Amino acid sequence: MRPPDRAARGAGTEPAAGEPADGVFGAEELRILLVEDDPGDALLVEDTLIDTGLKHDVTWVRSLADAEPHLAAGPGPDCVILDLHLGDVRGLPVLRRVLEWAPGAAVVVLTGLAEAQAGMAAVAAGAQDYLAKGQLEPDGLGRAIRYAVQRRQVQQAVAALQAQRMRAQENARLEHGLLPRPRVGNPRLRAVTRYLPGRAHSLLGGDFYDVVETADGHVHVVVGDVAGHGPASAALGVSLRVAWRSLVLAGMRGGRLVELLEELLVAEHGGAEMFVTLTTVTLPPGERVARVLRAGHHGFFLHAPGEVALVEPPGGLAVGMVPGLGDWREEEVRLPDGTSLVLFTDGLFEGQIDPEGRRLDLTGLVRIAREHCHHPPEDFVGAVLADVEAASADHGGLADDVAVVHVGWDGP
């Protein structure tokens, strides 16, 4: 809606004295929304805007109800010129409603000559500036709009930087919990661990791993994947990883250990649906076997010099999938001399590799692993990860987080 007998008008002729020219905000017009219920005051603001020299496009509305569609729909205005007295809604509630609908817009408040206190209160509540209607002139209005938009941009940049720092700090805390150092003293054990976050995840996900040696010389390994992404999944992954290590060090083994992890998961999330897939491995010292338990998790690799094989021993349900009905048992897998296990989460093979949406899948991952099977453990893991990332690079990169543990004994 426009003031009576006025057509929509854009940029003025010359910049105001002492002010930068139109190009201060680039070639595009400033989108200005004027919220003013008095047609005479609206006409005054529009006339003054023309004389500021700002390149602009102004839309006038009479009420908050008329303003809402302009504020709530993208991209929204760059600046809102707002009268604080609109019919039945007056004062700071008007401003709060505008900031709720358009948190990214700069706001310049219009006040009466005797309302300086109200203007300052509006700035404290989130507006970028205020002007008295009776003292409107081109220099002041143009300067107020320029600085309001610039201040809002700076505020948003500072907020984004602060959020980025907080995410980095949270990542560091989660990384300490999700990605521990292997607790192993036996020099014969070789363990290589890696973790890569998936694309567009500002926080680590719920993938976790751990490697720990108990007093009897047995080495225990877990790799797990919490359903979902974000802080809740990551926090649950930390809880389960810490609980797993504590239970192992306390002597708990096999299916009973997984049952206790499920009890913890259910207690943490109550009635919320949440499940975890995991694989645990126990390596007895001096034996050519691995005791493997799978809970809803995919298979793993056996890696020997010049050979890689995908192994999928019998397994049970994912932890928490149907609480109380899981039947988890350890299976023995032979480990000839020089053979290691390679455990990983599904992010390693779920990345998209062509425009049709085809994914690498386990078959493609086996092919990549076999191309590097002659490498020693550290180089093997690095080469496989590099090839998987390269295969999905043109289609957004890794779709999910990836945890990898390559573990085995040195010597006969």
Side-chain angles (χ1 to χ4, degrees):
M1 185 175 179
R2 308 294 297 167
D5 302 322
R6 296 294 298 266
R9 297 192 290 181
T13 54
E14 297 293 334
E19 290 295 331
D22 295 346
V24 67
F25 293 112
E28 294 185 2
E29 292 179 325
L30 275 176
R31 299 181 304 274
I32 297 175
L33 179 66
L34 172 60
V35 187
E36 170 60 71
D37 61 353
D38 185 294
D41 287 342
L43 188 63
L44 173 63
V45 172
E46 280 213 327
D47 281 341
T48 309
L49 273 171
I50 291 172
D51 294 333
T52 63
L54 285 173
K55 188 175 182 180
H56 69 276
D57 177 50
V58 62
T59 299
W60 171 53
V61 296
R62 290 176 176 266
S63 66
L64 274 178
D66 293 336
E68 182 178 5
H70 299 278
L71 294 168
D78 299 303
C79 182
V80 179
I81 302 177
L82 178 66
D83 182 9
L84 285 181
H85 304 291
L86 298 174
D88 295 336
V89 187
R90 306 173 70 84
L92 293 183
V94 177
L95 173 62
R96 294 191 185 103
R97 195 76 58 84
V98 168
L99 293 175
E100 177 185 346
W101 290 334
V107 180
V108 176
V109 166
L110 297 178
T111 68
L113 286 175
E115 295 182 312
Q117 194 68 32
M120 289 186 287
V123 171
Q128 276 63 54
D129 207 344
Y130 72 94
L131 292 171
K133 291 182 182 180
Q135 296 178 338
L136 277 184
E137 43 84 24
D139 282 2
L141 181 59
R143 186 182 297 110
I145 292 173
R146 283 190 180 90
Y147 292 167
V149 172
Q150 290 171 344
R151 287 190 196 106
R152 189 61 184 149
Q153 290 171 345
V154 170
Q155 288 170 352
Q156 290 176 316
V158 170
L161 179 60
Q162 181 64 18
Q164 185 178 22
R165 287 174 177 168
M166 292 178 66
R167 285 194 297 268
Q169 292 169 356
E170 184 66 14
N171 261 343
R173 287 191 291 269
L174 291 173
E175 183 175 352
H176 180 72
L178 287 169
L179 317 179
R181 293 180 180 274
R183 184 183 181 276
V184 177
N186 192 327
R188 287 188 54 231
L189 187 87
R190 57 177 183 271
V192 177
T193 59
R194 292 287 187 276
Y195 189 103
L196 292 177
R199 67 172 186 237
H201 298 155
S202 57
L203 290 174
L204 296 173
D207 294 14
F208 61 93
Y209 65 78
D210 204 352
V211 183
V212 63
E213 181 182 4
T214 48
D216 57 7
H218 288 61
V219 174
H220 307 268
V221 184
V222 65
V223 168
D225 187 355
V226 179
H229 300 287
S233 295
L236 180 57
V238 172
S239 298
L240 292 173
R241 201 279 304 167
V242 173
W244 177 87
R245 175 177 282 206
S246 300
L247 291 168
V248 166
L249 292 175
M252 197 62 62
R253 304 287 184 268
R256 181 53 184 158
L257 186 154
V258 180
E259 290 172 3
L260 292 173
L261 291 179
E262 184 173 73
E263 290 179 15
L264 171 65
L265 185 152
V266 172
E268 287 286 323
H269 282 266
E273 293 185 4
M274 180 66 75
F275 66 90
V276 179
T277 69
L278 58 83
T279 296
T280 69
V281 174
T282 298
L283 299 174
E287 298 184 32
R288 293 192 179 99
V289 297
R291 297 170 190 155
V292 179
L293 182 153
R294 292 198 304 136
H297 210 69
H298 49 76
F300 53 89
F301 291 151
L302 293 182
H303 176 212
E307 184 180 358
V308 166
L310 178 65
V311 181
E312 295 182 297
L317 293 171
V319 181
M321 181 70 75
V322 186
L325 296 183
D327 183 18
W328 298 290
R329 304 174 186 274
E330 288 186 329
E331 303 288 336
E332 284 200 352
V333 176
R334 290 188 65 252
L335 288 182
D337 287 348
T339 300
S340 301
L341 296 99
V342 186
L343 311 178
F344 48 88
T345 54
D346 58 12
L348 193 60
F349 57 85
E350 287 197 337
Q352 183 179 338
I353 59 174
D354 65 27
E356 285 70 40
R358 187 168 62 93
R359 300 190 178 277
L360 181 63
D361 71 37
L362 277 170
T363 302
L365 182 60
V366 170
R367 184 183 66 253
I368 289 175
R370 285 175 175 164
E371 291 175 357
H372 302 290
C373 61
H374 58 282
H375 288 316
E378 187 93 21
D379 295 338
F380 171 81
V381 173
V384 170
L385 287 174
D387 279 8
V388 169
E389 286 190 289
S392 59
D394 292 337
H395 306 283
L398 296 173
D400 199 356
D401 303 328
V402 176
V404 180
V405 176
H406 188 298
V407 62
W409 299 108
D410 273 330

